[in-house]
């Protein structure tokens, strides 16, 4: 799901949980998973439809903060 879609769902209180997990394709990177209130899970993706991945947790948290989120569960 793209940033603007995640922002819209957050503003409508449709995001149930946010998780930061290791990237399935590169264990040295982190990705963000969003679960909506209907139980569907989405990766954060870029405008060119690639999963957004981050080199460290600091970058990942900054991305979530920019989207307006204050909490996330980290799974490692």
């Amino acid at each position: 799901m793209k940033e603007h879609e995640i922002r819209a769902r957050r503003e409508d209180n449709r995001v149930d949980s946010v998780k930061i997990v290791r990237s399935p394709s590169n264990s040295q990177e982190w990705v963000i998973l969003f679960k909506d209130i209907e139980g569907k899970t989405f990766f954060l993706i870029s405008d060119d439809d690639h999963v957004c991945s981050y080199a460290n947790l600091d970058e990942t948290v900054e991305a979530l903060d920019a989207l307006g989120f204050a909490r996330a569960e980290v799974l490692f």
Side-chain angles (χ1 to χ4, degrees), residues 9-50:
R9 285 184 186 239
R10 184 187 56 78
E11 290 169 4
D12 292 339
N13 294 317
R14 298 187 53 83
V15 177
D16 182 54
S17 65
V18 180
K19 295 184 180 185
I20 301 171
V21 299
R22 297 250 184 211
S23 171
S25 63
N26 181 346
S27 65
Q28 300 300 311
E29 296 181 341
W30 299 90
V31 295
I32 302 171
L33 291 173
F34 298 93
K35 182 177 178 184
D36 68 11
I37 59 174
E38 297 161 353
K40 297 178 185 174
T41 304
F42 305 92
F43 284 107
L44 178 63
I45 61 171
S46 65
D47 288 333
D48 57 354
D49 294 329
H50 291 96

Side-chain angles (χ1 to χ4, degrees), residues 1-11 15 18 32-34 43-45 52 54 59-71:
M1 186 169 291
K2 296 182 181 180
E3 286 185 16
H4 70 277
E5 295 169 307
I6 291 293
R7 279 192 182 102
R9 285 184 186 239
R10 184 187 56 78
E11 290 169 4
V15 177
V18 180
I32 302 171
L33 291 173
F34 298 93
F43 284 107
L44 178 63
I45 61 171
C52 296
Y54 304 90
E59 288 180 15
T60 313
V61 170
E62 287 174 14
L64 282 172
D65 186 47
L67 291 170
F69 290 95
R71 295 180 188 201

